[in-house]
PDB file of all heavy atoms in Angstrom:
ATOM      1  N   LEU E 287     -86.993 -12.353  -6.263  1.00 96.00           N
ATOM      2  CA  LEU E 287     -85.679 -12.784  -5.935  1.00 96.00           C
ATOM      3  C   LEU E 287     -84.663 -11.589  -5.854  1.00 96.00           C
ATOM      4  O   LEU E 287     -83.637 -11.662  -5.101  1.00 96.00           O
ATOM      5  CB  LEU E 287     -85.067 -13.728  -7.001  1.00 96.00           C
ATOM      6  CG  LEU E 287     -83.890 -14.619  -6.521  1.00 96.00           C
ATOM      7  CD1 LEU E 287     -83.977 -15.168  -5.158  1.00 96.00           C
ATOM      8  CD2 LEU E 287     -83.831 -15.771  -7.593  1.00 96.00           C
ATOM      9  N   SER E 288     -84.994 -10.510  -6.537  1.00 94.00           N
ATOM     10  CA  SER E 288     -84.087  -9.318  -6.446  1.00 94.00           C
ATOM     11  C   SER E 288     -83.969  -8.716  -5.054  1.00 94.00           C
ATOM     12  O   SER E 288     -83.078  -7.941  -4.710  1.00 94.00           O
ATOM     13  CB  SER E 288     -84.545  -8.281  -7.481  1.00 94.00           C
ATOM     14  OG  SER E 288     -85.910  -7.884  -7.142  1.00 94.00           O
ATOM     15  N   VAL E 289     -84.954  -9.003  -4.292  1.00 94.00           N
ATOM     16  CA  VAL E 289     -85.010  -8.462  -2.935  1.00 94.00           C
ATOM     17  C   VAL E 289     -84.970  -9.553  -1.806  1.00 94.00           C
ATOM     18  O   VAL E 289     -84.767  -9.174  -0.614  1.00 94.00           O
ATOM     19  CB  VAL E 289     -86.265  -7.469  -2.664  1.00 94.00           C
ATOM     20  CG1 VAL E 289     -86.155  -6.370  -3.546  1.00 94.00           C
ATOM     21  CG2 VAL E 289     -87.543  -8.319  -2.697  1.00 94.00           C
ATOM     22  N   TYR E 290     -85.011 -10.735  -2.265  1.00 95.00           N
ATOM     23  CA  TYR E 290     -85.059 -11.882  -1.274  1.00 95.00           C
ATOM     24  C   TYR E 290     -83.629 -12.101  -0.790  1.00 95.00           C
ATOM     25  O   TYR E 290     -82.724 -12.105  -1.558  1.00 95.00           O
ATOM     26  CB  TYR E 290     -85.655 -13.175  -1.951  1.00 95.00           C
ATOM     27  CG  TYR E 290     -86.095 -14.208  -1.009  1.00 95.00           C
ATOM     28  CD1 TYR E 290     -86.972 -13.961  -0.077  1.00 95.00           C
ATOM     29  CD2 TYR E 290     -85.675 -15.529  -1.373  1.00 95.00           C
ATOM     30  CE1 TYR E 290     -87.440 -14.969   0.801  1.00 95.00           C
ATOM     31  CE2 TYR E 290     -86.210 -16.545  -0.548  1.00 95.00           C
ATOM     32  CZ  TYR E 290     -87.055 -16.260   0.522  1.00 95.00           C
ATOM     33  OH  TYR E 290     -87.602 -17.293   1.336  1.00 95.00           O
ATOM     34  N   PHE E 291     -83.556 -12.517   0.418  1.00 95.00           N
ATOM     35  CA  PHE E 291     -82.265 -12.863   1.084  1.00 95.00           C
ATOM     36  C   PHE E 291     -82.015 -14.251   0.747  1.00 95.00           C
ATOM     37  O   PHE E 291     -82.403 -15.146   1.503  1.00 95.00           O
ATOM     38  CB  PHE E 291     -82.208 -12.552   2.560  1.00 95.00           C
ATOM     39  CG  PHE E 291     -80.821 -12.794   3.146  1.00 95.00           C
ATOM     40  CD1 PHE E 291     -79.735 -12.178   2.709  1.00 95.00           C
ATOM     41  CD2 PHE E 291     -80.707 -13.718   4.214  1.00 95.00           C
ATOM     42  CE1 PHE E 291     -78.428 -12.341   3.192  1.00 95.00           C
ATOM     43  CE2 PHE E 291     -79.436 -14.034   4.694  1.00 95.00           C
ATOM     44  CZ  PHE E 291     -78.289 -13.311   4.256  1.00 95.00           C
ATOM     45  N   LEU E 292     -81.226 -14.560  -0.343  1.00 96.00           N
ATOM     46  CA  LEU E 292     -80.998 -15.948  -0.740  1.00 96.00           C
ATOM     47  C   LEU E 292     -79.620 -16.088  -1.100  1.00 96.00           C
ATOM     48  O   LEU E 292     -79.190 -16.047  -2.286  1.00 96.00           O
ATOM     49  CB  LEU E 292     -81.941 -16.296  -1.868  1.00 96.00           C
ATOM     50  CG  LEU E 292     -81.783 -17.856  -2.353  1.00 96.00           C
ATOM     51  CD1 LEU E 292     -82.443 -18.751  -1.312  1.00 96.00           C
ATOM     52  CD2 LEU E 292     -82.521 -18.000  -3.745  1.00 96.00           C
ATOM     53  N   PRO E 293     -78.607 -16.167  -0.175  1.00 94.00           N
ATOM     54  CA  PRO E 293     -77.269 -16.277  -0.407  1.00 94.00           C
ATOM     55  C   PRO E 293     -76.854 -17.614  -0.881  1.00 94.00           C
ATOM     56  O   PRO E 293     -76.376 -18.456  -0.072  1.00 94.00           O
ATOM     57  CB  PRO E 293     -76.618 -15.798   0.824  1.00 94.00           C
ATOM     58  CG  PRO E 293     -77.561 -16.230   1.905  1.00 94.00           C
ATOM     59  CD  PRO E 293     -78.953 -16.266   1.361  1.00 94.00           C
ATOM     60  N   THR E 294     -76.938 -17.904  -2.161  1.00 95.00           N
ATOM     61  CA  THR E 294     -76.495 -19.277  -2.647  1.00 95.00           C
ATOM     62  C   THR E 294     -75.015 -19.229  -2.978  1.00 95.00           C
ATOM     63  O   THR E 294     -74.441 -18.231  -3.097  1.00 95.00           O
ATOM     64  CB  THR E 294     -77.235 -19.522  -4.028  1.00 95.00           C
ATOM     65  OG1 THR E 294     -76.909 -18.590  -4.881  1.00 95.00           O
ATOM     66  CG2 THR E 294     -78.797 -19.669  -3.828  1.00 95.00           C
ATOM     67  N   LEU E 295     -74.530 -20.469  -2.873  1.00 93.00           N
ATOM     68  CA  LEU E 295     -73.136 -20.639  -2.945  1.00 93.00           C
ATOM     69  C   LEU E 295     -72.825 -21.574  -4.284  1.00 93.00           C
ATOM     70  O   LEU E 295     -73.459 -22.500  -4.339  1.00 93.00           O
ATOM     71  CB  LEU E 295     -72.568 -21.375  -1.738  1.00 93.00           C
ATOM     72  CG  LEU E 295     -72.011 -20.614  -0.540  1.00 93.00           C
ATOM     73  CD1 LEU E 295     -72.747 -19.266  -0.298  1.00 93.00           C
ATOM     74  CD2 LEU E 295     -72.047 -21.373   0.672  1.00 93.00           C
ATOM     75  N   LYS E 296     -71.912 -21.006  -4.950  1.00 91.00           N
ATOM     76  CA  LYS E 296     -71.552 -21.844  -6.163  1.00 91.00           C
ATOM     77  C   LYS E 296     -70.630 -23.003  -5.635  1.00 91.00           C
ATOM     78  O   LYS E 296     -70.662 -24.147  -6.202  1.00 91.00           O
ATOM     79  CB  LYS E 296     -70.810 -21.053  -7.242  1.00 91.00           C
ATOM     80  CG  LYS E 296     -70.934 -21.530  -8.603  1.00 91.00           C
ATOM     81  CD  LYS E 296     -69.908 -20.899  -9.566  1.00 91.00           C
ATOM     82  CE  LYS E 296     -70.422 -19.568  -9.973  1.00 91.00           C
ATOM     83  NZ  LYS E 296     -69.635 -19.063 -11.091  1.00 91.00           N
ATOM     84  N   GLU E 297     -69.768 -22.715  -4.815  1.00 88.00           N
ATOM     85  CA  GLU E 297     -68.871 -23.731  -4.317  1.00 88.00           C
ATOM     86  C   GLU E 297     -69.312 -24.352  -2.950  1.00 88.00           C
ATOM     87  O   GLU E 297     -69.983 -23.667  -2.268  1.00 88.00           O
ATOM     88  CB  GLU E 297     -67.391 -23.184  -4.153  1.00 88.00           C
ATOM     89  CG  GLU E 297     -66.851 -22.877  -5.528  1.00 88.00           C
ATOM     90  CD  GLU E 297     -65.468 -22.136  -5.310  1.00 88.00           C
ATOM     91  OE1 GLU E 297     -65.475 -20.916  -5.083  1.00 88.00           O
ATOM     92  OE2 GLU E 297     -64.486 -22.725  -5.533  1.00 88.00           O
ATOM     93  N   THR E 298     -68.871 -25.474  -2.732  1.00 87.00           N
ATOM     94  CA  THR E 298     -69.376 -26.196  -1.540  1.00 87.00           C
ATOM     95  C   THR E 298     -68.454 -25.855  -0.370  1.00 87.00           C
ATOM     96  O   THR E 298     -67.183 -26.018  -0.492  1.00 87.00           O
ATOM     97  CB  THR E 298     -69.234 -27.752  -1.779  1.00 87.00           C
ATOM     98  OG1 THR E 298     -70.027 -28.107  -2.873  1.00 87.00           O
ATOM     99  CG2 THR E 298     -69.707 -28.439  -0.541  1.00 87.00           C
ATOM    100  N   PRO E 299     -68.970 -25.316   0.684  1.00 85.00           N
ATOM    101  CA  PRO E 299     -68.242 -25.037   1.904  1.00 85.00           C
ATOM    102  C   PRO E 299     -67.499 -26.292   2.460  1.00 85.00           C
ATOM    103  O   PRO E 299     -68.096 -27.426   2.315  1.00 85.00           O
ATOM    104  CB  PRO E 299     -69.159 -24.534   2.950  1.00 85.00           C
ATOM    105  CG  PRO E 299     -70.408 -24.124   2.057  1.00 85.00           C
ATOM    106  CD  PRO E 299     -70.425 -25.005   0.909  1.00 85.00           C
ATOM    107  N   SER E 300     -66.332 -26.091   2.857  1.00 83.00           N
ATOM    108  CA  SER E 300     -65.409 -27.331   3.142  1.00 83.00           C
ATOM    109  C   SER E 300     -65.938 -28.103   4.385  1.00 83.00           C
ATOM    110  O   SER E 300     -65.628 -29.267   4.488  1.00 83.00           O
ATOM    111  CB  SER E 300     -64.064 -26.894   3.384  1.00 83.00           C
ATOM    112  OG  SER E 300     -63.935 -26.089   4.408  1.00 83.00           O
ATOM    113  N   GLU E 301     -66.810 -27.505   5.156  1.00 83.00           N
ATOM    114  CA  GLU E 301     -67.179 -28.276   6.382  1.00 83.00           C
ATOM    115  C   GLU E 301     -68.224 -29.276   6.107  1.00 83.00           C
ATOM    116  O   GLU E 301     -68.552 -30.050   6.979  1.00 83.00           O
ATOM    117  CB  GLU E 301     -67.699 -27.312   7.471  1.00 83.00           C
ATOM    118  CG  GLU E 301     -69.133 -26.767   7.206  1.00 83.00           C
ATOM    119  CD  GLU E 301     -68.989 -25.213   6.948  1.00 83.00           C
ATOM    120  OE1 GLU E 301     -68.044 -24.729   6.336  1.00 83.00           O
ATOM    121  OE2 GLU E 301     -70.010 -24.621   7.258  1.00 83.00           O
ATOM    122  N   ALA E 302     -68.859 -29.217   5.010  1.00 84.00           N
ATOM    123  CA  ALA E 302     -70.003 -30.126   4.737  1.00 84.00           C
ATOM    124  C   ALA E 302     -69.600 -31.335   4.002  1.00 84.00           C
ATOM    125  O   ALA E 302     -69.068 -31.297   2.841  1.00 84.00           O
ATOM    126  CB  ALA E 302     -71.117 -29.400   3.954  1.00 84.00           C
ATOM    127  N   SER E 303     -70.009 -32.492   4.530  1.00 82.00           N
ATOM    128  CA  SER E 303     -69.573 -33.739   3.879  1.00 82.00           C
ATOM    129  C   SER E 303     -70.850 -34.464   3.333  1.00 82.00           C
ATOM    130  O   SER E 303     -70.864 -35.000   2.188  1.00 82.00           O
ATOM    131  CB  SER E 303     -68.917 -34.728   4.900  1.00 82.00           C
ATOM    132  OG  SER E 303     -69.789 -34.998   5.893  1.00 82.00           O
ATOM    133  N   ILE E 304     -72.027 -34.487   3.926  1.00 90.00           N
ATOM    134  CA  ILE E 304     -73.068 -35.146   3.344  1.00 90.00           C
ATOM    135  C   ILE E 304     -74.014 -34.239   2.531  1.00 90.00           C
ATOM    136  O   ILE E 304     -73.959 -33.046   2.674  1.00 90.00           O
ATOM    137  CB  ILE E 304     -73.982 -35.890   4.466  1.00 90.00           C
ATOM    138  CG1 ILE E 304     -74.655 -34.874   5.408  1.00 90.00           C
ATOM    139  CG2 ILE E 304     -73.147 -36.828   5.226  1.00 90.00           C
ATOM    140  CD1 ILE E 304     -75.810 -35.431   6.029  1.00 90.00           C
ATOM    141  N   VAL E 305     -74.775 -34.825   1.717  1.00 92.00           N
ATOM    142  CA  VAL E 305     -75.386 -34.062   0.644  1.00 92.00           C
ATOM    143  C   VAL E 305     -76.428 -33.069   1.126  1.00 92.00           C
ATOM    144  O   VAL E 305     -76.498 -31.864   0.695  1.00 92.00           O
ATOM    145  CB  VAL E 305     -75.998 -35.016  -0.390  1.00 92.00           C
ATOM    146  CG1 VAL E 305     -77.103 -35.890   0.206  1.00 92.00           C
ATOM    147  CG2 VAL E 305     -76.536 -34.314  -1.673  1.00 92.00           C
ATOM    148  N   SER E 306     -77.203 -33.421   2.123  1.00 94.00           N
ATOM    149  CA  SER E 306     -78.164 -32.496   2.665  1.00 94.00           C
ATOM    150  C   SER E 306     -77.519 -31.239   3.328  1.00 94.00           C
ATOM    151  O   SER E 306     -77.990 -30.132   3.041  1.00 94.00           O
ATOM    152  CB  SER E 306     -79.097 -33.179   3.681  1.00 94.00           C
ATOM    153  OG  SER E 306     -78.379 -33.596   4.816  1.00 94.00           O
ATOM    154  N   HIS E 307     -76.508 -31.487   4.012  1.00 94.00           N
ATOM    155  CA  HIS E 307     -75.678 -30.422   4.542  1.00 94.00           C
ATOM    156  C   HIS E 307     -75.207 -29.440   3.494  1.00 94.00           C
ATOM    157  O   HIS E 307     -75.328 -28.269   3.506  1.00 94.00           O
ATOM    158  CB  HIS E 307     -74.586 -30.937   5.502  1.00 94.00           C
ATOM    159  CG  HIS E 307     -73.986 -30.048   6.403  1.00 94.00           C
ATOM    160  ND1 HIS E 307     -72.793 -30.141   7.019  1.00 94.00           N
ATOM    161  CD2 HIS E 307     -74.358 -28.661   6.681  1.00 94.00           C
ATOM    162  CE1 HIS E 307     -72.432 -29.107   7.689  1.00 94.00           C
ATOM    163  NE2 HIS E 307     -73.451 -28.199   7.513  1.00 94.00           N
ATOM    164  N   ARG E 308     -74.525 -30.047   2.537  1.00 94.00           N
ATOM    165  CA  ARG E 308     -73.941 -29.350   1.453  1.00 94.00           C
ATOM    166  C   ARG E 308     -75.103 -28.498   0.778  1.00 94.00           C
ATOM    167  O   ARG E 308     -74.925 -27.138   0.531  1.00 94.00           O
ATOM    168  CB  ARG E 308     -73.338 -30.275   0.374  1.00 94.00           C
ATOM    169  CG  ARG E 308     -72.005 -30.694   0.625  1.00 94.00           C
ATOM    170  CD  ARG E 308     -71.302 -31.053  -0.630  1.00 94.00           C
ATOM    171  NE  ARG E 308     -72.007 -32.087  -1.408  1.00 94.00           N
ATOM    172  CZ  ARG E 308     -71.700 -33.388  -1.210  1.00 94.00           C
ATOM    173  NH1 ARG E 308     -70.838 -33.800  -0.342  1.00 94.00           N
ATOM    174  NH2 ARG E 308     -72.379 -34.404  -1.978  1.00 94.00           N
ATOM    175  N   LEU E 309     -76.122 -29.087   0.407  1.00 95.00           N
ATOM    176  CA  LEU E 309     -77.251 -28.373  -0.420  1.00 95.00           C
ATOM    177  C   LEU E 309     -77.889 -27.320   0.454  1.00 95.00           C
ATOM    178  O   LEU E 309     -78.263 -26.312  -0.098  1.00 95.00           O
ATOM    179  CB  LEU E 309     -78.220 -29.442  -0.881  1.00 95.00           C
ATOM    180  CG  LEU E 309     -77.752 -30.400  -2.056  1.00 95.00           C
ATOM    181  CD1 LEU E 309     -78.745 -31.403  -2.364  1.00 95.00           C
ATOM    182  CD2 LEU E 309     -77.391 -29.435  -3.252  1.00 95.00           C
ATOM    183  N   MET E 310     -78.047 -27.536   1.799  1.00 96.00           N
ATOM    184  CA  MET E 310     -78.578 -26.580   2.623  1.00 96.00           C
ATOM    185  C   MET E 310     -77.777 -25.369   2.712  1.00 96.00           C
ATOM    186  O   MET E 310     -78.338 -24.194   2.746  1.00 96.00           O
ATOM    187  CB  MET E 310     -78.919 -27.152   4.003  1.00 96.00           C
ATOM    188  CG  MET E 310     -80.096 -28.117   3.987  1.00 96.00           C
ATOM    189  SD  MET E 310     -80.489 -28.692   5.606  1.00 96.00           S
ATOM    190  CE  MET E 310     -81.431 -27.375   6.290  1.00 96.00           C
ATOM    191  N   LEU E 311     -76.556 -25.571   2.767  1.00 95.00           N
ATOM    192  CA  LEU E 311     -75.549 -24.480   2.770  1.00 95.00           C
ATOM    193  C   LEU E 311     -75.495 -23.592   1.465  1.00 95.00           C
ATOM    194  O   LEU E 311     -75.580 -22.424   1.337  1.00 95.00           O
ATOM    195  CB  LEU E 311     -74.116 -24.843   3.244  1.00 95.00           C
ATOM    196  CG  LEU E 311     -73.953 -25.304   4.740  1.00 95.00           C
ATOM    197  CD1 LEU E 311     -72.607 -25.960   4.857  1.00 95.00           C
ATOM    198  CD2 LEU E 311     -74.106 -24.095   5.602  1.00 95.00           C
ATOM    199  N   ARG E 312     -75.408 -24.548   0.416  1.00 95.00           N
ATOM    200  CA  ARG E 312     -75.322 -23.909  -0.825  1.00 95.00           C
ATOM    201  C   ARG E 312     -76.555 -23.121  -1.289  1.00 95.00           C
ATOM    202  O   ARG E 312     -76.518 -22.221  -2.051  1.00 95.00           O
ATOM    203  CB  ARG E 312     -75.007 -24.962  -1.933  1.00 95.00           C
ATOM    204  CG  ARG E 312     -73.493 -25.440  -1.901  1.00 95.00           C
ATOM    205  CD  ARG E 312     -73.222 -26.153  -3.169  1.00 95.00           C
ATOM    206  NE  ARG E 312     -73.518 -25.462  -4.345  1.00 95.00           N
ATOM    207  CZ  ARG E 312     -73.864 -25.987  -5.523  1.00 95.00           C
ATOM    208  NH1 ARG E 312     -74.028 -27.312  -5.621  1.00 95.00           N
ATOM    209  NH2 ARG E 312     -74.180 -25.267  -6.499  1.00 95.00           N
ATOM    210  N   SER E 313     -77.737 -23.673  -0.888  1.00 96.00           N
ATOM    211  CA  SER E 313     -79.013 -23.082  -1.369  1.00 96.00           C
ATOM    212  C   SER E 313     -79.445 -21.967  -0.371  1.00 96.00           C
ATOM    213  O   SER E 313     -80.492 -21.394  -0.428  1.00 96.00           O
ATOM    214  CB  SER E 313     -80.094 -24.089  -1.408  1.00 96.00           C
ATOM    215  OG  SER E 313     -80.314 -24.647  -0.104  1.00 96.00           O
ATOM    216  N   GLY E 314     -78.518 -21.630   0.631  1.00 95.00           N
ATOM    217  CA  GLY E 314     -78.775 -20.434   1.399  1.00 95.00           C
ATOM    218  C   GLY E 314     -79.924 -20.735   2.375  1.00 95.00           C
ATOM    219  O   GLY E 314     -80.642 -19.827   2.778  1.00 95.00           O
TER     220      GLY E 314
END
Side-chain angles (χ1 to χ4, degrees):
Chain E
L287 197 40
S288 59
V289 297
Y290 198 50
F291 183 59
L292 185 70
T294 59
L295 268 33
K296 202 193 285 190
E297 288 171 284
T298 302
S300 59
E301 77 249 28
S303 64
I304 66 160
V305 65
S306 62
H307 192 194
R308 277 205 301 270
L309 288 173
M310 287 181 80
L311 290 169
R312 284 194 55 211
S313 63

